[in-house]
Amino acid sequence: MAQLTRTERQIALALFVGLAVAGLLMVAGGRADPLGLHGALILGVAVFGSFGIISKYYEPLPGADRLREYYDDPSKFGVVAAMVWVAFGLFMGDWVAWLLVNPDLTFDAAWSSFGRIRPVHTTSVIFGFGGNALIATSFYVMQRTSRARLPDQLSPWFVLLGYNLFCILAVTGYMLGITQSREYAEPEWYADIWLVVVWIVYFVTYLRTLARRKEPHIYVSNWYYLAFILVVAMLHIVNNLAVPVSLGHAKSYSLFSGVQDAMTEWWYGHNAVAFFLTSGFLGMMYYFMPKRAGRPIFSYRLSIISFWGITFFYIWVGSHHLHYTALPQWVQTLGMTFSVLLLVPSWASAGNALLTLNGAWHKVRDDATLRFMMIAAVFYGLTTFEGSFMAIRPVNSLSHYTDWTIGHVHAGALGWVAMITFGSIYASVPWLWKRDAMYSARLVEVHFWLALAGTIVYVFAMWNSGIVQGLMWRTYNESGTLTYSFVDSLIAMHPYYIARAVGGLLFLIGALVGCYNMYMTIRAAPQRKRLASTSDMPAAVPAIAPAE
Amino acid sequence: MGIGERDPHTGHMTTGHEWNGITELNTPVPRPVYVFLAAAALFAILYWVLMPAWPTGGSYTKGLLGYDQRAAVAESLREAALGRAALTKKIAAEGFDAITADRDLMDTVRQTGRALFGDNCAACHGREATGNKGFPNLTTASWLWGGSPETIAETIRVGINSAHPDSRTSQMPAFGRDGVLPRIEIENVVAYVKSLSEPQSARGHEAAVAAGRKVFASTCAACHGEQGTGNSELGTPNLADQFWIYGGDSETLVKTVWGGRQGQMPTWEARLTPVERKILALYVYDLRRRQ
């Protein structure tokens, strides 16, 4: 707030008032519908925000010296938000895991049924945790690799706060029973429209920073972050094309139907994996890994090949989610073959990351933060291999609809996405809050081993469970009929479900240790006296008039 | 463009760019990347040539193998049916007595019936067919509508109180709620009914049991029989044995007499084939025979 100029304070206040009006209209229009509750939530947020602005409106205005440092306050907020979301999201995930072990754990409430808390888990970890971490690190990385400060103080806050409002609308909506029933795109039309607004501001902010860069070349990380922002906008808009029942209802109906609907959903779904969970996090990896290892990127040329390979091939592969369905076979063929092709640039990325560590392996041994990133690259390679393999039709006929898919997703989500994020956050927290190091290197070590053990237990449990399940479903007896009933396969999976829930619990405990460590770092670790060098400053700006 | 420097560790040059301290080596792309990319591309192209692959406006390239997933499914279904044909034909043709006497056919019934029962019946009757509250135990000698394979098959076909036009229908009236019997008479008749299966429970309640006997004779016997042993023509349960659908304790019995009962079983005629229903009937029949 102290960094906001007078004009920005005025615009922020106007935005909050506008938001309050929108919330009020939703309350009025949707009073007979859960939409009204969301209207009230928005109204509450807006009123709270307005008072926040008003109470600090007359605080001293920032001087021109603010321009001599990167604007990291939004990144700080994003990192903290990511950790809050991950603790909540992993808790919900482990609850869902125990719910599958013991179906009575809903405690007879509607909001806690499997169909509602499962998307609460996925949205909290993917969008709450992953999204906040991506936005926070993208602002951080973009400013430094461009040697340019963010163009203004307001838009990054609009992006982060607006994005978190979207996540809260999504998660509370599921518990109220509001859903589009599109996997990973469950929020209804009004939340979707809000996200479009937020995302466009994000994109524009990014381009404006890029346009102000003082480096002649754009660093790899920014290619990936830009691909992430641009493609996610495209995916989100197309997949969520829908007509609401009325402006006073939360419910809407998709523009697509039948197999086109399924194809649109999985074109979105798989590219969410590609451009949200892969591209953005590769951007993170390409900055934080060489930075932490103190090594140059292994090969600039390999970076280029992998970037364009991943970006071009990924767009095609969504149909591999619909093998052996009503989807025409030629579409399945394209999805499968491009999935196989995709393996090469994926492994090139993982290889480029691991080879970058050549000459720094002793640091990997001693530094759990760097080890987080190294293991992430290993899991990235593992998961992309598994993904291409599972996309091959005959393999898919065994793996599809089984827990193998869940195991694959979590090898990616826990092993790759969460590990690279934890590594990057552990690297950036001391930099952001200007500390010498994390509060406790030992606790980072504890977190690392809990996370790795949790991931391995989880993934092995689901591999076993999935393959057992898949084989049981296709086992015939001598009479030529199915040997097992569906319930038989559930009983066979029970021990694996327990193992999975235990693995998830280990991962959750690790994340909580991480939260504590970060809290103590921010609160208690010794403050660094001054910037070590000018390398953490934007390029000298020509003298401009101080903020009005 | 900056000027590259040599990295002492790898011996490669850097590209000469530097971002916030990060540099990049100008290492050539390792040859295996190209080799694998070529191999993957070759695989993809080969697959496109052989299989349905690219759209051509109104149609698509059919592929040299002429493979079609729908035809493949139809073919494997036909083959599977052919493999089962000998046994299914026999089960369809033979009478229940002949099948139960045929050891091989009964093996098939047990194999196939287990999964059929698990997928269709177990949700209510339990995986071991031992029932749940409100859903009868199928492994006992106590049957509502008769325990021969023929009557079981008919029950499966039409269901009980179902939407099927020939459905078996049966209802126990709500004697208490509808004011047919006063509270005290309900308690008496319950004491009597309990004494049928548990004679020792009558001790100390002789008066109530005697009064209940009269109520039973005038109100209940028409359906449940003079001795309370039930009537499989009407689907009324035997009250003198040890098996209860809703529970045989006094509290549950009072509830049953007070509010009546009308259990339901769906019709399976539209959902299972005649042979599948026959196998299920034999499987259920066989469960008890094996005990």
Side-chain angles (χ1 to χ4, degrees):
Chain A
M1 183 69 198
Q3 292 254 2
L4 264 57
T5 63
R6 162 101 359 114
T7 324
E8 284 173 337
R9 289 175 195 191
Q10 285 162 353
I11 297 173
L13 189 57
L15 285 171
F16 273 123
V17 171
L19 191 65
V21 172
L24 202 59
L25 286 174
M26 280 170 74
V27 172
R31 56 194 182 282
D33 193 82
L35 184 72
L37 286 172
H38 266 167
L41 178 81
I42 292 172
L43 182 60
V45 168
V47 169
F48 184 78
S50 309
F51 279 110
I53 301 277
I54 292 168
S55 68
K56 305 217 166 148
Y57 187 81
Y58 290 109
E59 285 200 354
L61 291 171
D65 57 337
R66 76 194 145 92
L67 300 176
R68 292 187 43 235
E69 277 192 46
Y70 295 121
Y71 190 43
D72 284 338
D73 292 350
S75 296
K76 289 181 181 175
F77 173 85
V79 165
V80 172
M83 292 310 290
V84 171
W85 278 108
V86 81
F88 173 72
L90 291 176
F91 169 78
M92 295 306 282
D94 207 42
W95 182 3
V96 179
W98 288 110
L99 186 58
L100 288 170
V101 174
N102 179 357
D104 290 330
L105 286 175
T106 61
F107 308 107
D108 282 339
W111 66 267
S112 57
S113 56
F114 180 86
R116 296 195 188 180
I117 61 175
R118 189 248 175 197
V120 169
H121 159 63
T122 54
T123 297
S124 302
V125 291
I126 298 173
F127 298 109
F129 169 57
N132 271 303
L134 284 171
I135 297 173
T137 56
S138 71
F139 287 151
Y140 182 91
V141 171
M142 172 54 119
Q143 295 185 84
R144 280 160 180 78
T145 54
S146 302
R147 271 199 298 145
R149 198 175 189 272
L150 284 167
D152 64 302
Q153 284 75 232
L154 186 61
S155 47
W157 281 113
F158 180 82
V159 172
L160 269 164
L161 294 177
Y163 182 76
N164 279 284
L165 176 61
F166 164 78
C167 292
I168 290 169
L169 286 177
V171 165
T172 53
Y174 308 153
M175 290 180 175
L176 291 169
I178 302 173
T179 172
Q180 287 193 119
S181 341
R182 302 177 84 76
E183 204 170 6
Y184 311 121
E186 291 93 347
E188 272 291 357
W189 59 276
Y190 53 95
D192 289 337
I193 291 173
W194 174 242
L195 184 62
V196 171
V197 174
V198 168
W199 214 254
I200 288 172
V201 174
Y202 184 24
F203 185 58
V204 170
T205 307
Y206 218 75
L207 286 186
R208 282 171 68 205
T209 316
L210 197 62
R212 293 152 49 91
R213 75 181 189 279
K214 298 292 178 302
E215 296 285 358
H217 291 263
I218 300 174
Y219 184 56
V220 198
S221 290
N222 295 319
W223 312 344
Y224 279 111
Y225 279 125
L226 265 177
F228 146 67
I229 300 170
L230 184 64
V231 180
V232 166
M234 178 175 91
L235 299 168
H236 174 76
I237 291 171
V238 174
N239 188 43
N240 286 303
L241 290 173
V243 182
V245 172
S246 84
L247 291 178
H249 279 83
K251 178 89 198 106
S252 69
Y253 287 94
S254 173
L255 279 195
F256 307 99
S257 62
V259 77
Q260 284 87 357
D261 186 41
M263 189 59 247
T264 311
E265 160 61 22
W266 282 111
W267 167 79
Y268 164 86
H270 200 84
N271 284 306
V273 175
F275 290 91
F276 204 98
L277 295 177
T278 304
S279 273
F281 291 92
L282 281 171
M284 216 183 257
M285 184 191 79
Y286 267 109
Y287 179 81
F288 289 98
M289 190 187 248
K291 197 82 185 146
R292 186 79 182 185
R295 291 287 306 152
I297 293 289
F298 169 72
S299 169
Y300 170 64
R301 298 155 190 252
L302 207 51
S303 307
I304 296 181
I305 288 202
S306 339
F307 174 78
W308 287 110
I310 286 172
T311 304
F312 177 71
F313 290 148
Y314 248 124
I315 285 284
W316 294 77
V317 306
S319 58
H320 72 217
H321 287 258
L322 296 165
H323 280 338
Y324 302 99
T325 64
L327 187 73
Q329 199 184 345
W330 62 265
V331 193
Q332 300 174 29
T333 297
L334 293 180
M336 170 187 144
T337 45
F338 277 101
S339 302
V340 172
L341 280 164
L342 182 58
L343 178 61
V344 184
S346 299
W347 271 31
S349 285
N352 206 9
L354 290 173
L355 291 169
T356 296
L357 293 173
N358 274 348
W361 286 99
H362 59 285
K363 292 188 187 167
V364 176
R365 185 192 60 204
D366 299 334
D367 178 8
T369 302
L370 191 56
R371 213 177 315 124
F372 261 118
M373 301 184 207
M374 185 278 284
I375 288 290
V378 171
F379 268 102
Y380 177 64
L382 204 80
T383 311
T384 48
F385 173 76
E386 190 186 24
S388 296
F389 182 61
M390 289 167 82
I392 297 171
R393 270 166 52 97
V395 181
N396 196 266
S397 76
L398 175 68
S399 75
H400 205 183
Y401 310 118
T402 73
D403 286 333
W404 190 352
T405 305
I406 322 295
H408 168 65
V409 169
H410 283 83
L414 303 177
W416 155 239
V417 171
M419 296 267 194
I420 192 68
T421 307
F422 287 138
S424 303
I425 289 182
Y426 279 129
S428 60
V429 162
W431 296 338
L432 278 170
W433 273 271
K434 307 207 180 350
R435 305 286 188 259
D436 288 327
M438 287 298 294
Y439 165 71
S440 162
R442 266 194 106 120
L443 287 180
V444 181
E445 199 72 45
V446 169
H447 182 185
F448 173 80
W449 288 109
L450 280 171
L452 184 59
T455 306
I456 287 176
V457 170
Y458 190 114
V459 170
F460 271 88
M462 288 296 96
W463 278 340
N464 278 301
S465 163
I467 291 172
V468 167
Q469 219 179 354
L471 289 175
M472 283 179 90
W473 292 347
R474 55 159 64 170
T475 303
Y476 288 83
N477 54 39
E478 291 158 29
S479 319
T481 53
L482 288 172
T483 305
Y484 301 103
S485 63
F486 185 73
V487 177
D488 290 331
S489 70
L490 285 180
I491 289 168
M493 280 142 61
H494 195 251
Y496 300 115
Y497 279 2
I498 294 173
R500 179 253 299 270
V502 169
L505 187 62
L506 293 179
F507 203 90
L508 169 63
I509 295 171
L512 294 177
V513 169
C515 288
Y516 171 76
N517 201 1
M518 274 166 221
Y519 176 77
M520 294 306 285
T521 308
I522 295 167
R523 292 301 299 269
Q527 179 100 24
R528 206 162 53 192
K529 289 287 172 279
R530 56 189 164 74
L531 288 178
S533 70
T534 55
S535 72
D536 207 38
M537 287 180 184
V541 272
I544 50 169
E548 30 173 332
Chain B
M1 185 105 182
I3 293 165
E5 286 171 20
R6 195 168 290 282
D7 171 45
H9 184 82
T10 57
H12 287 295
M13 297 293 286
T14 67
T15 54
H17 312 144
E18 191 242 299
W19 299 268
N20 196 218
I22 301 175
T23 53
E24 292 173 321
L25 296 176
N26 208 5
T27 320
V29 177
R31 184 172 296 267
V33 173
Y34 291 123
V35 173
F36 282 121
L37 199 58
L42 199 68
F43 167 79
I45 291 167
L46 208 65
Y47 201 90
W48 294 338
V49 171
L50 296 177
M51 291 292 200
W54 285 92
T56 55
S59 183
Y60 56 89
T61 58
K62 300 281 192 299
L64 292 181
L65 292 184
Y67 184 87
D68 174 63
Q69 65 166 3
R70 285 161 199 270
V73 170
E75 175 61 18
S76 27
L77 284 178
R78 205 182 57 81
E79 269 173 27
L82 212 61
R84 286 193 297 262
L87 287 167
T88 41
K89 233 181 231 163
K90 233 174 172 177
I91 289 175
E94 301 272 356
F96 285 102
D97 291 341
I99 299 172
T100 46
D102 186 326
R103 189 179 283 266
D104 287 346
L105 276 183
M106 280 314 285
D107 277 346
T108 307
V109 164
R110 286 182 196 123
Q111 275 189 341
T112 306
R114 218 188 131 278
L116 268 181
F117 188 89
D119 283 338
N120 297 291
C121 319
C124 295
H125 291 287
R127 245 168 39 92
E128 306 300 333
T130 47
N132 275 312
K133 187 169 175 174
F135 305 102
N137 184 333
L138 305 178
T139 64
T140 72
S142 186
W143 290 89
L144 282 175
W145 296 93
S148 72
E150 289 86 349
T151 51
I152 296 174
E154 180 64 6
T155 306
I156 295 173
R157 185 177 78 86
V158 300
I160 299 167
N161 295 323
S162 75
H164 196 283
D166 302 334
S167 172
R168 300 190 186 280
T169 48
S170 177
Q171 183 182 11
M172 167 151 165
F175 290 99
R177 197 175 56 225
D178 294 346
V180 181
L181 294 177
R183 178 96 199 173
I184 180 72
E185 289 191 8
I186 291 177
E187 278 167 15
N188 290 342
V189 82
V190 162
Y192 170 70
V193 166
K194 208 161 152 57
S195 75
L196 293 175
S197 53
E198 270 179 72
Q200 71 278 13
S201 73
R203 213 171 297 148
H205 305 286
E206 284 80 4
V209 170
R213 186 196 310 273
K214 283 191 197 130
V215 178
F216 189 88
S218 62
T219 314
C220 316
C223 294
H224 287 283
E226 297 289 328
Q227 310 299 321
T229 48
N231 181 348
S232 62
E233 292 294 309
L234 301 171
T236 51
N238 184 342
L239 306 175
D241 63 13
Q242 302 299 321
F243 304 110
W244 297 96
I245 299 176
Y246 297 95
D249 56 294
S250 300
E251 196 191 332
T252 311
L253 284 173
V254 167
K255 243 187 221 167
T256 302
V257 179
W258 174 270
R261 296 288 182 189
Q262 189 176 23
Q264 290 186 329
M265 168 165 159
T267 159
W268 295 90
E269 191 169 37
R271 294 188 47 186
L272 299 174
T273 66
V275 174
E276 284 171 332
R277 279 183 271 124
K278 199 165 182 180
I279 289 173
L280 265 179
L282 285 159
Y283 175 79
V284 169
Y285 171 73
D286 184 60
L287 282 176
R288 178 162 49 95
R289 210 172 52 143
R290 276 194 290 175
Q291 281 193 341

